[in-house]
Amino acid sequence: MGARTVVLLRHGRTEWNVAERLQGQTDVALDDVGRWQADESARALVRTHRATRIVASDLGRAMETAAAYARMVGLDVVPDARLRERAFGEWEGLTGAQIAEGWPERHTAWRRGDDETGLPPGGETRAEVAERVRGAIEEHAAGLERDDTLVVVSHGAAITLAITAMLGQEPGWRGVVGLTNAHWSQLTRAPLGSQPSWRVVAHNVGAAYAPAAWHAGPDTGAEQESDTAGMSAG
């Protein structure tokens, strides 16, 4: 039947996250705050979930985030290119303002979720990403036992679209808020024959820091509130 529990973890912060540049499949490394977030997230996640298998996008920011957790549970990280972020083609590295200036009509369509007229030049559709990432998650989960836990480390849009697909929704559905850096979502497999086949148990959970402290990083004087807590993506 496969693993009943799947945890989807977003990578820690990068310089492009701070600059609000579209990363896509450009291999941007974690910044200092992102590495701290990865470590803090790993400490929080290990208290509630001990993975049987850890798989991650092969992009550096995801692999480094996965490695922080893997060290705590004594496992290796399995890289899988299917877990990469959505490819945004010519828009990668640009800010929203730059995209709006260069492709005003296409940017407007993209913002409203129109994949037909709002597709980034050279990029992937939401449907393509949803199927790619969902397929990888399902395949890795199927190779485990029912009581096992699969931890998947990926990217913001990729995770949102995968969850949407696993809940049986169309790619344009916007019922799932994006994850904060180094936060996770937990899904559980539904009873046999139930639809959808997966259910969300918890979403956007992370180490219990106030949002401002989490984004600012260590040495801010902020105290951690508790072991784990859900946080808004903001």
Side-chain angles (χ1 to χ4, degrees):
M1 181 178 181
R4 192 165 67 98
T5 300
V6 171
V7 175
L8 306 177
L9 173 65
R10 186 186 177 196
H11 63 79
R13 197 184 83 172
T14 71
E15 289 185 359
W16 280 21
N17 287 144
V18 179
E20 297 184 345
R21 296 186 181 278
L22 205 55
Q23 294 184 117
Q25 296 189 4
T26 303
D27 202 359
V28 185
L30 297 180
D31 63 12
D32 288 343
V33 170
R35 284 185 281 274
W36 170 80
Q37 288 176 341
D39 288 339
E40 291 298 299
S41 176
R43 292 187 184 98
L45 182 57
V46 78
R47 295 185 180 110
T48 53
H49 298 286
R50 297 193 70 87
T52 309
R53 177 180 298 169
I54 305 169
V55 297
S57 157
D58 62 345
L59 297 178
R61 58 191 183 272
M63 288 294 292
E64 189 172 359
T65 301
Y69 174 72
R71 287 191 293 270
M72 294 194 170
V73 295
L75 293 175
D76 293 327
V77 178
V78 179
D80 190 332
R82 294 175 296 174
L83 298 171
R84 286 185 177 189
E85 179 60 294
R86 180 183 179 185
F88 290 104
E90 295 178 28
W91 291 358
E92 293 188 12
L94 303 180
T95 64
Q98 290 171 326
I99 295 169
E101 181 180 357
W103 298 265
E105 294 182 2
R106 189 174 294 210
H107 178 258
T108 298
W110 174 61
R111 292 283 294 175
R112 68 171 180 260
D114 185 345
D115 255 357
E116 187 171 334
T117 58
L119 183 66
E124 291 179 287
T125 66
R126 289 177 173 85
E128 289 170 337
V129 180
E131 182 58 26
R132 165 169 63 81
V133 182
R134 181 206 59 78
I137 294 169
E138 295 271 14
E139 181 181 305
H140 286 290
L144 300 176
E145 299 298 323
R146 174 179 171 80
D147 292 333
D148 290 341
T149 295
L150 173 67
V151 170
V152 178
V153 185
S154 186
H155 309 264
I159 290 174
T160 298
L161 289 165
I163 292 173
T164 297
M166 292 168 78
L167 295 180
Q169 301 295 323
E170 294 298 317
W173 185 63
R174 293 191 168 185
V176 179
V177 68
L179 291 176
T180 303
N181 285 117
H183 279 56
W184 66 85
S185 183
Q186 178 191 343
L187 280 71
T188 188
R189 195 184 297 273
L192 189 63
S194 298
Q195 293 297 326
S197 55
W198 292 92
R199 297 173 180 174
V200 175
V201 176
H203 185 67
N204 209 28
V205 179
Y209 286 87
W214 185 248
H215 294 302
D219 303 323
T220 61
E223 293 185 356
Q224 194 172 14
E225 297 170 357
S226 60
D227 289 345
T228 59
M231 289 171 54
S232 169

